[in-house]
């Protein structure tokens, strides 16, 4: 048996020469791990461990370069001008059912520019895209408080539960979660009680002191496959709605709309969103173009993360509106 092929718990350290030989063949000669195993007289499992150890010991360094297509160039600047936003971050075209993994690099860049420090507050909204982004690597911000910007909903999917998005994001960035134990639209009596519930009040008080918010942009409520159960689909106002942020619906001009019960929404108010230094909207898709334009007009966010086709659609639509 080759000395390199002993059990990993007994093998305390591979010879540097062996690690180098495996790494040089794998990375420089494009040899397969099977080929390397035959040449070195070891198992494929050992080759895998040799490559891992070569990276740990600095024999191998891997660099990942951002492609030019991902840099924020003229298109990002054009979208920012068209919408009156402070910053726009554009990723290449997203594809597939999950948007989060594609948009997350843009969200990570946006968060990196906020200057988050321990004790700062970051709010998160409900929604599929924000939930998916929260599951990706968005940076490390120890001591930052992550809090919901809206209460929970009846729907069973996890992206409707902002406490779940809060938990995941706090875990990923090393932050501290602050959970909101309240439904998004409580009944009259419960709504009154929640205003005086200490645990709920603590989170609602964070809304006015947030340094950053990560929010999704919903498309027209009546055009979605799934509308929140508490939104009355027969409400006249919803026929004019083109989108929502934190469950606050608005029309084509970004003007807030009300519907029966909306005065009881447990969600960040528009004036609070406007006061937040960095409110980052993350959205992509042709069906979101008008929602994004109107949301920006209403002042619901001051930064945007989207993909290139959506950005081009925004510029074209903004010229016509």
């Amino acid at each position: 048996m080759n000395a390199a092929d002993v059990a990993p718990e007994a093998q305390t350290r591979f010879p540097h020469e062996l690690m180098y030989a495996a790494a040089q063949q794998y990375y420089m000669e494009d040899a397969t791990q099977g080929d390397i195993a035959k040449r070195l007289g070891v198992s494929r499992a050992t080759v895998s461990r040799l490559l891992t150890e070569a990276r740990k010991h600095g024999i191998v360094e891997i660099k990942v370069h951002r492609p030019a297509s991902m840099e924020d160039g003229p298109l990002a600047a054009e979208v920012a001008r068209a919408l009156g936003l402070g910053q726009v971050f554009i990723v290449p075209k997203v594809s597939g059912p999950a948007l989060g993994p594609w948009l997350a690099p843009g969200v990570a860049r946006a968060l990196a520019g906020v200057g988050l420090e321990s004790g700062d507050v970051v709010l998160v909204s409900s929604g599929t895209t924000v939930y998916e982004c929260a599951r990706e690597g968005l940076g490390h911000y120890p001591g930052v408080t992550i809090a919901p910007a809206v209460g929970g909903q009846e729907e069973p999917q996890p992206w409707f539960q902002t406490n779940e998005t809060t938990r995941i994001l706090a875990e990923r960035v090393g932050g501290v979660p602050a959970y909101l134990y309240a439904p998004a639209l409580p009944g009259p009596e419960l709504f009154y009680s929640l205003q005086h519930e200490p645990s709920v009040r603590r989170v609602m008080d964070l809304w006015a002191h947030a340094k950053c918010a990560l929010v999704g942009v919903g498309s027209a409520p009546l055009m979605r496959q799934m509308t929140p159960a508490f939104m009355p689909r027969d409400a006249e106002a919803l026929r004019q709605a083109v989108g929502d942020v934190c469950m606050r619906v608005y029309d084509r001009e970004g003007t807030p709309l009300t519907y029966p019960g909306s005065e009881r929404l447990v969600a960040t108010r528009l004036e609070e969103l406007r006061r937040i230094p960095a409110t980052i909207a993350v959205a992509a898709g042709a069906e979101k173009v008008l929602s994004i334009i109107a949301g920006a007009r209403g002042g619901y966010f001051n930064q945007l993360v989207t993909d290139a086709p959506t950005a081009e659609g925004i510029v074209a639509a903004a010229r016509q509106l």
Side-chain angles (χ1 to χ4, degrees):
M1 179 182 293
N2 191 297
D5 252 348
V6 298
E9 58 272 15
Q11 180 69 54
T12 57
R13 185 176 183 181
F14 290 116
H16 282 191
E17 296 81 359
L18 195 60
M19 289 187 283
Y20 173 78
Q24 196 274 338
Q25 294 177 50
Y26 186 74
Y27 291 106
M28 304 302 293
E29 300 177 9
D30 291 327
T32 67
Q33 292 189 22
D35 291 336
I36 298 169
K38 292 177 182 178
R39 295 173 187 174
L40 298 182
V42 299
S43 68
R44 292 182 65 174
T46 296
V47 172
S48 178
R49 292 198 295 274
L50 284 168
L51 295 173
T52 299
E53 289 300 313
R55 291 181 60 184
K56 289 182 179 178
H57 286 78
I59 294 173
V60 173
E61 295 182 1
I62 297 178
K63 293 183 178 180
V64 180
H65 296 279
R66 184 189 305 279
S69 60
M70 289 185 66
E71 296 298 337
D72 302 316
L75 181 58
E78 197 170 358
V79 173
R81 285 194 299 270
L83 301 183
L85 300 178
Q87 282 188 291
V88 174
F89 302 87
I90 297 178
V91 303
K93 179 181 179 180
V94 302
S95 61
L99 304 184
W102 297 89
L103 293 166
V107 175
R109 280 186 285 153
L111 287 175
V114 176
L116 294 171
E117 300 177 349
S118 179
D120 288 339
V121 177
V122 175
L123 307 181
V124 293
S125 75
S126 58
T128 310
T129 306
V130 174
Y131 172 78
E132 291 173 352
C133 286
R135 300 173 67 183
E136 303 297 320
L138 299 180
H140 192 55
Y141 302 101
V144 168
T145 297
I146 311 296
V150 60
Q153 299 173 49
E154 294 180 16
E155 285 72 18
Q157 290 84 356
W159 49 83
F160 282 110
Q161 311 307 324
T162 41
N163 277 345
E164 179 62 8
T165 301
T166 293
R167 182 192 66 79
I168 293 172
L169 183 59
E171 183 179 86
R172 292 281 181 167
V173 305
V176 180
Y179 298 120
L180 177 61
Y181 298 108
L185 189 63
E189 293 185 7
L190 178 57
F191 178 73
Y192 176 79
S193 299
L194 289 173
Q195 308 305 302
H196 302 88
E197 168 57 41
S199 65
V200 173
R201 191 72 260 168
R202 277 195 296 271
V203 174
M204 294 174 73
D205 288 343
L206 293 176
W207 295 347
H209 301 94
K211 186 173 184 177
C212 176
L214 180 60
V215 300
V217 179
S219 54
L222 298 185
M223 300 298 290
R224 302 179 202 170
Q225 290 184 337
M226 185 176 294
T227 304
F230 62 76
M231 285 188 182
R233 296 185 65 88
D234 58 348
E236 181 64 30
L238 291 187
R239 297 180 185 178
Q240 306 171 45
V242 301
D244 81 271
V245 171
C246 295
M247 296 301 161
R248 304 285 180 183
V249 296
Y250 47 82
D251 64 14
R252 295 172 66 90
E253 301 303 319
T255 304
L257 298 171
T258 61
Y259 52 83
S262 62
E263 71 280 359
R264 300 193 306 274
L265 271 174
V266 178
T268 312
R269 297 186 301 275
L270 177 56
E271 54 268 29
E272 290 171 325
L273 287 171
R274 285 175 172 160
R275 283 200 299 264
I276 296 174
T279 300
I280 304 163
V282 53
E287 74 282 0
K288 297 289 184 74
V289 168
L290 183 56
S291 311
I292 293 170
I293 293 174
R297 284 179 172 177
Y300 289 85
F301 49 88
N302 50 34
Q303 296 188 29
L304 173 66
V305 177
T306 191
D307 73 342
T310 307
E312 292 168 353
I314 289 171
V315 172
R319 289 172 179 161
Q320 299 173 7
L321 295 175

